Structure formats: C-alpha cells, structure tokens
C-alpha cells in the first residue's frame, strides 16, 4: 500500500497542472493515516514552492485574466480548507510529527534574532539545536507551520528579475488574502475551521506574549491575559484556549516576520547582496501584499473589545503591537532605497495605511482580494480619528514624524507639476491635514523637546485652525502619552547615535516655507502646461491634417483627451496641497509671498531634513551635464523606448521574446555554444551573452554595482522600428499592385531572411567574415 501511494504520487507530479491537482486531491482524500504521508507532504511542499523546478507551481504568475482554469484549480487545492490543508490536519493527528526548516533559508534578520535567543516566545518550542555546538540550526515545525513558513518564504525567495506589475492579481496574492481572512477572522464570532481538538502540540505561553526587541509600552498592558488562558485555574481550558487560536498565532507571526524582514548590509556582506539582489529587494507585489497584511491586522485588532470568547482577546491586542514595530523598520528601509519615480506611491500608501488604523476598524480585504468589486478604494473607509487612538499615535510617534522627514525631501527632487507626483503629494497632505492628527503630533513633539510633564498648546496657527480648544484632545490631557512617545523614539530607532530632529522647530521653518513655495510654483507651471496643451489641441482640431487623421482613424483622440483631463486636475491638486501643508506646518499667507517661479535646492541643504546622499540627482540633469560620460549598462531589451521605435510593437515583441526565452532558454544557450553549422546560424539569430550592471544603494547609503550575467537569448526588438514597419508596408503595397497576396509576401520575406542568415553563417565558417 505504501509503495502504491508513493507511485501514484510521483505519477501525479508528472501530469499537466489540472490533472496533477485532481490526482493529488484524490490521493490525499483516499489515503488514511500512513507513515509515507510524511514523505509525500515534504516533497509536495518542495514541489509547490521550489525555486529550482521552473519556479514551482508558478503561483506568482498565474492570474485569472491570463489562465482562468489553472487559477481556479490552484486556488481549490491550496485554499484554507482545500486538499493541501486536509493533508496538514491528517499529519497533525500525531503531535510528534515535525519537519525541520533550515535556519539558513530564513531572512538574515530573523536568523540573527533566533541565534541570539532574543526571539518571540512563539519560537520557544521550535528551536532545533546542534548537539555539539549547541547552536540553533533549524526550526522543528508541525505540518501546518511548515507549510505556512514555505508559503511566506516563497514571496521573498522568488523575486524574479522581471517586474511583476502585471501579476498583482495572481494566485499567490489571492491565497495570501484568503489565508488572512480565514485564519485571522476580523469578525470575532467566526471560528477558524475546521476545529481540530485532537492536536495538543502547542505548549502554553507565559504572559505576556511579546516581541523581545520591543517591550510593551504601558504598565497597564502587562496584566493582559496570555494567549493560552494562563489566568484560568484549570489546565484543560488552558490547553483548549491555546489550541483554538494557535493557527491564527502562526499565520500572524510568520507573515509579519517573513514579509516584513529587512536586510542590513555592510562591507562584509555586500558581495552576498550582489549575488542575490532579486531575493532581498522588495518587489512591488511584496509591498502590496504587506499593505494588505497591515490593513487586515488593523481590522483584526480593532475587534478585541467585542470578542465574545477570551481565547483570542490577547492575540488581537498583541497583533498590532508586533506588526507596528516590524512595519516601521520595513517601511523606513523602503523609503531609503526605493527608486525616485512615481512607483513610490506603493510605498507611501503602505505607510499611510500603517499610520491610520482608524480607517480600517470595519475594513474587509475583500476589496483587495476581488479588485473588480471596487476599483479604487483609497477613500472607501470612513473611519475617523478619535480619542481612543491617542495611545496608538504616541506608541508609534516616530512612524509618523521620522518617516515623514525622510519622505518630504523626495518631493523637492520631483517635478511636482507632473500628474502622478501631484497625486502623491496630495495624498500625503490630505492624511496629515485631517482633523486632530497634526495637533496631536505637534503637541507631543513640543512636550518631548521641552521636556515638560504637562501639555501646553503652542502659539502657532496649526493648533488653532479648525480647532477651538487648546489642544488637550477633546478635554483629555495628553501628558500621560509623552513618556510613551519618548520610549517609542528610543526603541524604534535603535542606533546609539540617533538624535531626534523636531519636525515643527524653528530650524525647519525655512525648509517648510520653501517647500510650500515650491508647490505654489509648480501650481503655476501646471496651469501654464494645461493652457498650452489645451490651446494646441484646439488648434489641431480645426486643422486639415487632423481631419485626415480622423477620416483614416489613425488619431489618438482618446489619449489626448485623457492627457488633457490629467493636466486639468494637476493645478487643483496642487492648490489643495498649498492649503494642506500651510495647515500642517502652521504657516500664514504673508510668509508665502512673494512666490518664486524657479526655486533652487538650497533650502534642502540648510535644514535638518538635509540628507542629499539619499537622493540621486535628476536623471535628465545628469544626461544634460555629462552626455559624453553616460552609457547604458543595463539589459539591452529593457532600454527606454527610442523615438525611432514603435512603443506598442516594442512591448509586444518584448513579451513574445520573454515568453520564448522562458520556454526555450536552455535550448538557446546550447545551440549558441555549438561549433557546427547550427551553432553559426544560432549566433546570427540570437543575442550574445553579456553582463549587465545595476547600481544599488545599501542601508548605509553606499553605492555599489550589481553584475548579472545574461545568457544567449532571442530578442525581437529590432522588428519594432518605424523604418522596418514603413518598408514592410511599402513592400506589401508593391506586392498587392502585382496581385500577390499577403501570405506570398510573408513567405518571400521569410525566405529572404533565411537566405541572408544562412549566407552569413556560411561566410563565417569560411572565415570570410570574422566572428
């Protein structure tokens, strides 16, 4: 029977995906408890998430749009109550079944934490020690935890070189949302199914369960009941309580520790970073998934008051505490290393979700899981800031102010009259100008810098705009939160040399003034751009050439109207930004005059925000100043689209060649390296191997070059030039004039190309043409 199970298992693994899933599902459901299920489980997990087996089951690249049937088959197999989890629960019937996860495959920061023994108590009964050296070498995990660890690691260990922007709605993203909704239900009345009372492998945890690197802030939190129900006097309810929530605890801790891991680099490990840069850089997909995690944990934690069962009360309170500490360091690392372009909005939206828990008290990540349900939900949640969040703001004070001081100088390096940059600036200003948030932060900072126990409202307009009372926050004094905010600054910024720079100080008054003036200058420029473009379109609509284009249906009227609509919105966004940041920084209208049309960056150099090493000069300025010294060293297929190329054709040809290289890349390399006639022909068709270089910046702001070797590959970009398209059109019209069809024209072109390739290959063999 055992041989039969393994034989069927290996047979299923070699089938096409949908047949493989059907076969495995049948095998799992029909198999009873058997020793060989353990070997089957290990190999199945490795097969799903393997980095060496054609990227495992390709969870991050199968989407509903490009392959609906594979998408649904994978979801049905890996969903929270699907065959994969049924296999996990079968193995859980024996609490002694453990699977070792090597420490070396974990993120470096988690490895160091476990090796030093400063780890959350969640890992206390998982550590596997080497009998001789007594060092931690692995984690001994039950089947459920082993699967969840591998699922989480798949996101950070499988960052592909190509961008994953088009794969956001992938199987992996859908599963991540489903796991969060199922194992961390926002509704306290919803239990985690199925109920498995027979598993008693989790030991009780002593209170309070917390991250050792960040102690709990308030003494009042130390009397929380622990996750195992330790305050209960009876042993069986303790075990029952822990066994009811241990899956939620695992998903929470593992997702936070893996997805929010960061890497600190120095001269000793920069070589390792160069070899595995795609592994350690956060992809856009990862940032988006982390944001979903942040929003869901906010929603999960908000329900602890209404939990009818004590079993998950402490876990719900604990969730937000550990998440905020890890998310601060993760977000700060992203801000310091993210490219200076409009994609930074991904990072900024993650940060804005982190600092606004009141928006997600009734949030459901169904909106993220099913994007068609609500295409854009930035303003969908209507939660407002009230007094109950004063403690959260104090506990995470540096997450608001320190990261804001890193983000603001980025905008001085951007063209604020560009639509996407204006939207980012608007989003940031809208959040910090909402009622009560800026006055709370300002009063906390003043109390910290003045080193006073009480709170006094500062004499500036920021605390008086839209507020009628001295800021004690609706009559509640904030002095008890000052010590917590101070402690947060020292705990979250662990560097001994860190010194907090006040955001609302007189030293930064000049910077904030010039910052708002820059916005006003960009508003004028945006208004001018809109008027010029509108005038250009108006003139074009009345021209003869435009009439001809409309008759031939070759115009871009929709694109032009869309561009005009964006240009029209930019001055409105920037006008709101002026109001937002005037309120945030406490400026008055008189200080903003006169408006300078062209502002220089000297304000950045003379403020406490100055950290110009974190931001490269504008690329256009570099190209303008050092044209002779600039050389493109990246992937030739990813060069910016040139004026002589057709944009649509370049993208189509890139997609085709990328797919062919994925399917036949190894065959291309073998053909290119051959020394026979086929090898010479292949070298005429394929691109030769090359080494590309990419600049990276580590956490210490040191630049280095990452080298990556590209193998022989097919490139179709040469077919996307305007000149080639024009010649093909002329040739086709010429053939049509002689009554030849399109098929004959294509055949003729192919034959001519074949003759040229074979002739050149023959001449190279004869050494008439050099290699």
């Amino acid at each position: 029977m055992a041989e039969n199970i393994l034989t069927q298992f290996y047979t299923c693994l070699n089938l096409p995906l949908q047949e493989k899933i059907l076969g495995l599902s049948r095998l799992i459901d029909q198999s009873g408890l058997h020793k060989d299920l353990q070997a089957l489980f290990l190999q199945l997990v490795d097969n799903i998430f393997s980095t060496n087996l054609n990227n495992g089951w390709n969870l991050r690249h199968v989407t509903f749009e490009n392959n609906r049937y594979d998408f649904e088959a994978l979801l049905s197999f890996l969903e929270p109550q699907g065959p994969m989890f049924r296999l996990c629960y079968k193995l859980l019937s024996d609490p002694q079944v453990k699977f070792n996860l090597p420490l070396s495959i974990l993120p470096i920061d988690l490895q160091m934490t476990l090796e030093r023994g400063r780890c959350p108590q969640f890992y206390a009964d998982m550590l596997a020690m080497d009998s001789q050296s007594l060092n931690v070498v692995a984690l001994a995990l039950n089947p459920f935890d082993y699967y969840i660890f591998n699922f989480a690691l798949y996101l950070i260990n499988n960052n592909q070189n190509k961008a994953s922007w088009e794969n956001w709605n992938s199987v992996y993203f859908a599963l991540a949302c489903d796991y969060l909704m199922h194992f961390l239900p926002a509704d306290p009345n919803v239990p985690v199914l199925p109920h498995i009372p027979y598993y008693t492998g989790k030991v009780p945890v002593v209170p309070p369960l917390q991250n050792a690197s960040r102690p709990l802030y308030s003494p009042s939190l130390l009397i929380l009941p622990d996750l195992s129900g330790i305050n209960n006097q009876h042993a069986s309810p303790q075990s029952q309580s822990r066994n009811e929530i241990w899956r939620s605890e695992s998903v929470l801790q593992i997702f936070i520790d893996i997805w929010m891991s960061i890497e600190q680099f120095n001269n000793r490990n920069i070589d390792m970073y160069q070899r595995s840069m795609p592994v350690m850089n956060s992809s856009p997909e990862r940032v988006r998934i982390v944001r979903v995690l942040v929003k869901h944990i906010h929603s999960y934690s908000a329900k602890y008051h209404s939990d009818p069962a004590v079993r998950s009360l402490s876990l719900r309170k604990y969730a937000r505490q550990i998440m905020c500490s890890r998310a601060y360091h993760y977000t700060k690392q992203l801000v310091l290393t993210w490219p200076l372009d409009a994609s930074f909005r991904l990072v900024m939206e993650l940060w804005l979700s982190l600092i606004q828990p009141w928006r997600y008290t009734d949030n459901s990540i169904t909106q993220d899981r099913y994007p068609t349900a609500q295409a854009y939900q930035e303003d969908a949640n209507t939660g407002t800031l009230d007094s109950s969040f004063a403690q959260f703001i104090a506990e995470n004070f540096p997450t608001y102010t320190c990261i804001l001081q890193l983000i603001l100088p980025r905008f001085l390096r951007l063209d604020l009259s560009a639509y996407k940059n204006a939207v980012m600036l608007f989003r940031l200003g809208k959040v910090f100008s909402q009622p009560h948030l800026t006055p709370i932060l300002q009063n906390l900072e003043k109390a910290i810098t003045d080193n006073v126990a009480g709170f006094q409202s500062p004499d500036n307009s920021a605390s008086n705009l839209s507020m009628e009372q001295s800021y004690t926050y609706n009559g509640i004094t904030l002095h008890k939160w000052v010590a917590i905010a101070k402690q947060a600054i020292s705990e979250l910024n662990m560097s001994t040399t860190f010194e907090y720079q006040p955001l609302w100080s007189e030293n930064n008054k000049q910077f904030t003034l010039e910052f708002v003036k820059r916005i006003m200058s960009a508003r004028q420029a945006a208004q001018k751009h809109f008027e010029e473009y509108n005038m250009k379109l108006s003139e074009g609509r009345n021209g003869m050439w435009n009439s001809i284009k409309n008759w031939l249906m070759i115009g871009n009227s929709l694109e032009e109207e869309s561009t005009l609509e964006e240009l029209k919105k930019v001055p409105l966004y920037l006008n709101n930004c002026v109001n937002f940041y005037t309120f945030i920084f406490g400026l008055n209208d008189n200080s903003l005059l006169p408006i300078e049309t062209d502002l220089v960056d000297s304000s950045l150099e003379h403020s406490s925000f100055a950290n110009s090493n974190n931001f490269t000069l504008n690329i256009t300025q570099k190209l303008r100043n050092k044209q002779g010294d600039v050389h493109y060293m990246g992937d030739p297929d990813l060069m910016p689209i040139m004026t002589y190329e057709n944009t649509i054709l370049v993208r189509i040809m890139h997609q085709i060649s990328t797919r062919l290289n994925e399917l036949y890349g190894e065959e291309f390399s073998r053909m290119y390296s051959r020394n026979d006639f086929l090898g010479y022909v292949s070298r005429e068709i394929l691109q030769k191997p090359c080494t590309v270089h990419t600049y990276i910046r580590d956490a210490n702001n040191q630049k280095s070059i990452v080298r990556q070797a590209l193998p022989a590959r097919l490139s179709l970009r040469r077919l996307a030039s305007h000149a080639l398209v024009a010649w093909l059109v002329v040739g086709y019209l010429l053939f049509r004039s002689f009554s030849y069809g399109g098929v004959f024209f294509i055949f003729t072109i192919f034959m001519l190309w074949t003759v040229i390739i074979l002739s050149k290959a023959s001449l190279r063999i004869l050494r008439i043409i050099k290699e």
Side-chain angles (χ1 to χ4, degrees):
M1 182 63 183
E3 294 181 0
N4 187 33
I5 291 177
L6 293 178
T7 301
Q8 293 181 54
F9 173 69
Y10 291 121
T11 301
C12 290
L13 290 185
N14 294 320
L15 295 174
L17 180 65
Q18 295 186 41
E19 297 178 26
K20 171 166 56 180
I21 288 175
L22 286 174
L24 290 172
S25 301
R26 191 181 306 111
L27 181 63
I28 290 171
D29 290 334
Q30 293 177 356
S31 300
L33 298 177
H34 198 280
K35 263 296 187 189
D36 285 319
L37 283 180
Q38 299 178 28
L40 183 153
F41 175 77
L42 270 179
Q43 294 182 55
L44 180 56
V45 171
D46 183 66
N47 192 269
I48 294 171
F49 301 113
S50 173
T51 59
N52 302 320
L53 214 102
N54 192 25
N55 200 23
W57 285 13
N58 224 21
L59 300 183
R60 293 180 56 198
H61 297 94
V62 176
T63 65
F64 183 85
E65 292 77 15
N66 65 18
N67 198 331
R68 174 181 178 179
Y69 299 106
D70 285 357
F71 181 90
E72 292 177 342
L74 288 166
L75 275 185
S76 66
F77 186 79
L78 299 173
E79 66 182 358
Q81 298 191 71
M84 189 67 203
F85 279 95
R86 290 201 292 272
L87 176 59
C88 290
Y89 297 143
K90 279 188 177 183
L91 295 173
L92 281 174
S93 60
D94 182 1
Q96 303 304 318
V97 173
K98 300 289 183 181
F99 301 98
N100 282 345
L101 187 75
L103 212 64
S104 58
I105 71 172
L106 297 178
I108 293 177
D109 58 343
L110 183 56
Q111 290 182 42
M112 296 174 62
T113 301
L114 295 174
E115 289 171 349
R116 293 171 181 174
R118 294 176 52 83
C119 56
Q121 294 185 19
F122 170 77
Y123 298 98
D125 58 345
M126 299 180 179
L127 303 180
M129 314 288 289
D130 180 63
S131 58
Q132 296 181 349
S133 63
L134 297 181
N135 294 326
V136 180
V137 293
L139 294 178
L141 306 170
N142 67 40
F144 180 90
D145 289 350
Y146 186 82
Y147 173 80
I148 294 296
F149 257 109
N150 278 276
F151 177 82
L153 288 167
Y154 185 72
L155 178 62
I156 68 171
N157 289 342
N158 274 278
N159 279 341
Q160 303 299 312
N161 291 332
K162 62 180 182 179
S164 56
W165 296 85
E166 71 278 8
N167 296 324
W168 276 3
N169 300 317
S170 63
V171 174
Y172 189 88
F173 180 81
L175 287 172
C177 294
D178 289 346
Y179 293 166
L180 288 172
M181 290 187 290
H182 182 83
F183 295 112
L184 295 169
D187 185 356
N189 296 297
V190 176
V192 177
L193 298 176
H195 184 53
I196 47 174
Y198 54 82
Y199 182 69
T200 57
K202 288 285 186 178
V203 298
V205 179
V206 296
L209 183 58
Q210 65 185 68
N211 192 331
S213 64
R214 190 185 184 198
L216 297 177
Y217 292 110
S218 173
S220 63
L221 296 178
L222 296 177
I223 60 174
L224 289 174
D226 65 289
L227 299 183
S228 63
I230 198 74
N231 293 334
N232 195 317
Q233 296 179 355
H234 302 287
S236 56
Q238 293 175 16
S239 301
Q240 180 182 3
S241 177
R242 180 81 193 282
N243 289 333
E244 288 177 356
I245 63 156
W246 70 266
R247 285 172 291 177
S248 301
E249 183 186 350
S250 293
V251 169
L252 171 72
Q253 189 81 51
I254 293 169
F255 282 3
I256 289 176
D257 286 347
I258 301 298
W259 287 347
M260 294 186 185
S261 60
I262 61 172
E263 311 299 341
Q264 298 292 340
F265 301 104
N266 51 43
N267 294 332
R268 291 178 297 176
N269 59 12
I270 192 66
D271 292 336
M272 178 192 67
Y273 180 67
Q274 292 179 2
R275 290 194 300 270
S276 56
M277 188 189 74
V279 173
M280 297 179 180
N281 272 349
S282 282
S283 64
E285 180 190 24
R286 179 178 171 187
V287 175
R288 183 172 180 245
I289 289 177
V290 170
R291 187 185 178 208
V292 170
L293 174 65
V294 166
K295 292 196 292 185
H296 187 71
I297 291 178
H298 278 320
S299 178
Y300 181 76
S301 295
K303 300 297 193 304
Y304 75 91
H305 283 306
S306 56
D307 191 347
V310 180
R311 59 178 178 269
S312 67
L313 185 146
S314 296
L315 182 62
R316 290 178 184 272
K317 296 192 73 171
Y318 168 69
R320 187 181 283 165
Q321 293 175 5
I322 63 164
M323 180 267 289
C324 289
S325 175
R326 298 302 297 263
Y328 169 77
H329 295 289
Y330 178 72
T331 306
K332 184 178 179 181
Q333 181 82 353
L334 290 177
V335 171
L336 290 172
T337 58
W338 201 264
L340 196 65
D341 56 27
S343 68
F344 181 71
R345 186 173 179 185
L346 285 171
V347 177
M348 200 177 74
E349 293 295 346
L350 164 62
W351 173 56
L352 296 180
S353 295
L354 175 63
I355 63 176
Q356 296 184 91
W358 48 88
R359 289 176 59 85
Y360 307 107
T361 53
D362 297 311
N363 179 66
S364 170
I365 60 172
T366 306
Q367 298 171 343
D368 299 275
R369 170 66 173 83
Y370 304 102
T372 55
Q374 186 171 341
Y376 195 76
Q377 70 270 8
E378 296 297 349
D379 298 314
N381 301 314
T382 56
T384 55
L385 171 61
D386 57 39
S387 58
S388 63
F389 292 99
Q391 180 176 352
F392 176 87
I393 295 174
E395 290 177 349
N396 298 277
F397 181 76
T399 309
Y400 292 88
T401 57
C402 294
I403 293 183
L404 179 61
Q405 293 185 65
L406 295 176
I407 288 178
L408 287 178
R410 291 182 66 99
F411 288 102
L412 295 180
R413 302 296 190 188
L414 298 176
D415 178 10
L416 298 182
S417 62
Y419 176 76
K420 291 183 178 180
N421 296 334
V423 171
M424 281 198 293
L425 188 66
F426 173 82
R427 285 281 300 142
L428 179 62
K430 185 177 181 181
V431 169
F432 274 85
S433 62
Q434 62 187 306
H436 314 314
L437 179 57
T438 292
I440 289 179
L441 293 171
Q442 192 174 7
N443 278 269
L444 281 172
E445 182 183 89
K446 179 174 176 57
I448 292 171
T449 54
D450 291 349
N451 197 25
V452 295
F455 256 77
Q456 297 175 356
S457 181
D459 296 329
N460 56 44
S461 59
S463 60
N464 297 323
L465 289 175
S466 303
M467 308 292 166
E468 296 181 358
Q469 74 275 10
S470 174
Y471 221 84
T472 56
Y473 199 60
N474 293 338
I476 301 176
T477 59
L478 299 177
H479 67 273
K480 60 181 178 179
W481 307 125
V482 177
I484 293 177
K486 287 182 179 180
Q487 185 180 1
I489 293 175
S490 62
E491 288 174 351
L492 292 179
N493 299 281
M494 293 179 289
S495 172
T496 56
T497 59
F498 177 81
E499 182 179 352
Y500 178 74
Q501 298 293 335
L503 181 61
W504 287 278
S505 65
E506 287 299 323
N507 294 335
N508 287 328
K509 204 71 172 180
Q510 185 62 29
F511 170 83
T512 56
L513 185 64
E514 297 300 333
F515 185 83
V516 176
K517 284 186 178 181
R518 177 68 61 84
I519 300 174
M520 299 174 72
S521 177
R523 180 182 60 185
Q524 291 183 345
Q527 185 64 36
K528 183 178 179 181
H529 292 164
F530 167 70
E531 294 172 355
E532 291 176 350
Y533 192 80
N534 190 29
M535 184 179 300
K536 179 182 176 181
L537 288 185
S538 300
E539 293 174 353
R541 293 189 187 101
N542 301 322
M544 182 181 297
W545 172 240
N546 189 72
S547 302
I548 296 173
K549 287 197 299 181
N550 291 334
W551 184 74
L552 295 174
M553 294 184 294
I554 60 175
N556 295 318
S557 57
L558 292 178
E559 183 179 349
E560 291 172 347
E561 291 297 330
S562 176
T563 303
L564 181 64
E565 187 64 25
E566 288 185 355
L567 291 176
K568 181 180 179 180
K569 292 179 180 178
V570 172
L572 300 178
Y573 280 132
L574 294 177
N575 187 60
N576 285 322
C577 287
V578 172
N579 297 329
F580 289 156
Y581 292 99
T582 299
F583 166 73
I584 292 169
F585 297 133
L587 304 175
N588 55 60
D589 295 336
N590 294 331
S591 63
L592 298 176
L593 298 175
I595 301 174
E596 300 179 18
T597 304
D598 296 312
L599 297 173
V600 296
D601 288 339
S602 60
S603 60
L604 183 66
E605 299 173 0
H606 300 290
S607 71
S608 65
F609 290 102
N611 191 6
S612 57
N613 291 331
N614 286 338
F615 304 101
T616 57
L617 293 175
N618 187 279
I619 293 177
T620 11
Q621 182 179 353
K622 284 186 174 182
L623 293 175
R624 182 168 60 247
N625 294 340
K626 298 184 178 182
Q627 292 181 357
D629 298 334
V630 176
H631 304 282
Y632 183 77
M633 300 189 299
D635 189 341
D637 290 336
L638 300 179
M639 282 184 64
I641 298 175
M642 303 300 180
T643 55
Y644 59 81
E645 293 177 318
N646 184 283
T647 303
I648 297 176
L649 282 179
V650 168
R651 291 171 179 166
I652 292 175
M653 294 302 171
H654 177 67
Q655 293 294 329
I656 295 173
S657 58
T658 300
R659 183 58 179 163
L660 291 175
N661 288 326
E662 287 178 355
L663 295 174
Y664 308 108
E666 294 182 1
E667 187 65 26
F668 287 158
S669 296
R670 285 195 295 268
M671 291 170 60
Y672 191 91
S673 60
R674 294 174 61 156
N675 291 322
D676 54 8
F677 182 72
L678 181 59
Y680 280 91
V681 172
S682 300
R683 286 190 282 276
E684 292 298 326
I685 299 174
L686 302 174
Q687 293 288 314
K688 65 180 180 180
C690 65
T691 301
V692 298
H693 304 78
T694 306
Y695 280 99
I696 61 137
R697 194 182 295 273
D698 59 25
N700 296 323
N701 212 33
Q702 299 296 319
K703 289 193 297 184
S704 60
I705 297 178
V706 175
R707 298 172 179 83
Q708 180 186 2
L710 296 181
R713 66 211 178 279
L714 179 66
S715 177
L716 302 177
R717 183 159 180 167
R718 289 171 291 184
L719 303 180
S721 66
H722 292 303
L724 179 61
V725 173
W727 280 111
L728 290 176
V729 171
V730 171
Y732 176 73
L733 294 176
L734 185 62
F735 268 62
R736 290 292 296 172
S737 67
F738 287 100
S739 301
Y740 292 110
V743 175
F744 182 73
F745 172 71
I746 294 174
F747 175 77
T748 303
I749 293 296
F750 178 76
M751 292 303 298
L752 285 174
W753 175 79
T754 303
V755 170
I756 292 172
I757 293 297
L758 296 178
S759 300
K760 292 179 69 175
S762 301
L763 293 174
R764 291 191 191 280
I765 292 177
L766 298 174
R767 300 291 191 272
I768 298 176
I769 301 179
K770 294 182 179 181
E771 282 273 5

